[in-house]
C-alpha cells in the first residue's frame, strides 16, 4: 500500500504591536479617551478578548481594589423560532478558567473614571443602553489604528501583545496564564507568547563570561 504522509503543519505567528506602534496607539487612545479607546487600553494592559470587552460592565470593575472581574462574554448563539439562524447574546465564559480576576494598572484607573463620568451606558465600551457587537467594535478599533497610522492588525493581536510584554517584563508564566484565562500554562507559552529579537538579545547579554 502507498503511504500518504501529510506535510507538517506550518504555524503562523499572529503579529503583535511593536513597542513604537503600541506607544502611538496608547497616545491616540489617551487623547480621545472615549468608550472605544478605553476598551483598547484594557485589552492592551489586561489581555481581554473582544467579546469580553464588549460585555464588560462598569459593575465588573472594582475601582477601590483596582481589579477587573471577567464574568461574561458576547457570543453568537442559535436562535430558536426566528428567521435568523443565530443572534448575539451575553453568555458566561466558555471555560472555568476564563472566569477570572485581573489586576488593573493604577494609571488606567483615573482614565476609566473619566470615561465612566460621561457614560450613559452600563457597558464600558458602549454609547447606548445596548452592548456593542464585536464586529462594530472591531470596526471602531481599526479607525483608531488609522488615526495612529498603524498598519491593519487583528484586534486579538492586542491580547498577544499584552502577553508578550508581560513576559518581557519578567512575569512568571503561571500568573500570566491565569490572567489570560487559560486552563494551563502550556497554551500561554505555545500560542500567546511571542519572543522578540530584543528579548533574545537581553537574555544573551546576561550569559556569564
Amino acid at each position: 500500500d502507498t503511504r500518504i504522509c501529510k506535510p507538517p503543519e506550518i504555524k503562523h505567528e499572529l503579529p503583535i504591536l511593536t513597542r513604537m506602534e503600541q506607544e502611538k496607539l496608547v497616545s491616540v487612545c489617551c487623547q480621545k479617551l472615549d468608550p472605544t479607546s478605553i476598551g483598547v487600553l484594557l485589552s492592551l494592559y489586561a489581555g481581554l478578548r473582544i467579546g469580553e470587552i464588549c460585555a464588560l460592565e462598569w459593575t465588573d470593575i472594582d475601582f477601590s481594589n483596582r481589579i477587573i472581574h471577567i464574568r461574561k462574554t458576547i457570543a453568537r448563539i442559535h436562535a430558536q423560532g426566528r428567521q435568523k439562524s443565530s443572534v448575539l447574546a451575553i453568555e458566561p465564559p466558555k471555560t472555568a478558567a476564563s472566569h477570572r480576576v485581573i489586576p488593573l494598572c493604577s494609571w488606567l484607573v483615573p482614565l476609566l473614571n473619566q470615561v465612566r463620568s460621561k457614560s450613559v451606558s452600563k457597558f464600558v465600551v458602549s454609547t447606548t443602553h445596548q452592548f456593542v457587537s464585536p464586529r462594530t467594535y472591531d470596526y471602531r478599533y481599526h479607525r483608531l489604528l488609522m488615526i495612529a497610522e498603524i498598519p491593519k492588525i487583528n484586534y486579538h493581536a492586542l491580547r498577544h501583545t499584552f502577553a508578550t510584554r508581560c513576559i518581557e517584563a519578567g512575569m512568571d508564566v503561571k500568573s500570566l496564564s491565569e490572567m489570560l484565562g487559560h486552563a494551563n500554562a502550556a497554551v500561554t507559552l505555545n500560542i500567546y507568547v511571542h519572543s522578540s529579537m530584543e528579548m533574545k538579545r537581553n537574555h544573551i547579554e546576561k550569559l556569564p563570561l
Side-chain angles (χ1 to χ4, degrees), residues 32-177:
K32 291 184 68 66
L33 208 56
D34 58 12
T36 299
S37 59
I38 202 67
V40 169
L41 290 175
L42 286 173
S43 284
L44 261 178
Y45 291 93
L48 273 64
R49 303 174 177 94
I50 193 168
E52 295 169 342
I53 279 289
C54 292
L56 189 70
E57 299 182 19
W58 290 112
T59 52
D60 295 321
I61 303 175
D62 183 340
F63 285 87
S64 299
N65 296 306
R66 300 207 314 266
I67 54 177
I68 306 173
H69 294 270
I70 305 302
R71 303 182 173 110
K72 50 197 176 297
T73 187
I74 303 297
R76 187 165 289 280
I77 62 173
H78 179 69
Q80 296 181 347
R82 297 191 184 186
Q83 292 182 346
K84 293 182 179 180
S85 59
S86 63
V87 293
L88 290 173
I90 297 178
E91 293 281 294
K94 289 183 178 181
T95 65
S98 293
H99 196 292
R100 61 202 191 277
V101 177
I102 305 171
L104 188 62
C105 291
S106 57
W107 66 270
L108 276 175
V109 174
L111 301 185
L112 280 162
N113 271 318
Q114 286 187 52
V115 176
R116 181 175 61 162
S117 67
K118 301 175 184 177
S119 178
V120 297
S121 177
K122 68 177 183 178
F123 297 100
V124 175
V125 301
S126 178
T127 56
T128 69
H129 296 298
Q130 300 295 323
F131 63 77
V132 177
S133 73
R135 178 178 293 182
T136 298
Y137 187 70
D138 184 66
Y139 170 76
R140 294 174 181 173
Y141 153 72
H142 278 89
R143 285 174 59 185
L144 284 176
L145 291 182
M146 289 179 61
I147 295 172
E149 298 181 341
I150 297 173
K152 285 185 178 181
I153 190 168
N154 190 287
Y155 189 89
H156 203 66
L158 301 182
R159 183 169 157 87
H160 285 243
T161 301
F162 166 75
T164 302
R165 297 288 178 261
C166 285
I167 292 295
E168 288 175 351
M171 181 180 292
D172 66 281
V173 179
K174 176 63 175 174
S175 296
L176 176 58
S177 178

Side-chain angles (χ1 to χ4, degrees), residues 17-27 148 150 165:
L17 294 174
T18 64
R19 287 184 176 273
M20 184 175 294
E21 288 172 340
Q22 184 170 346
E23 288 175 5
K24 289 167 64 177
L25 183 56
V26 169
S27 177
I150 297 173
R165 297 288 178 261

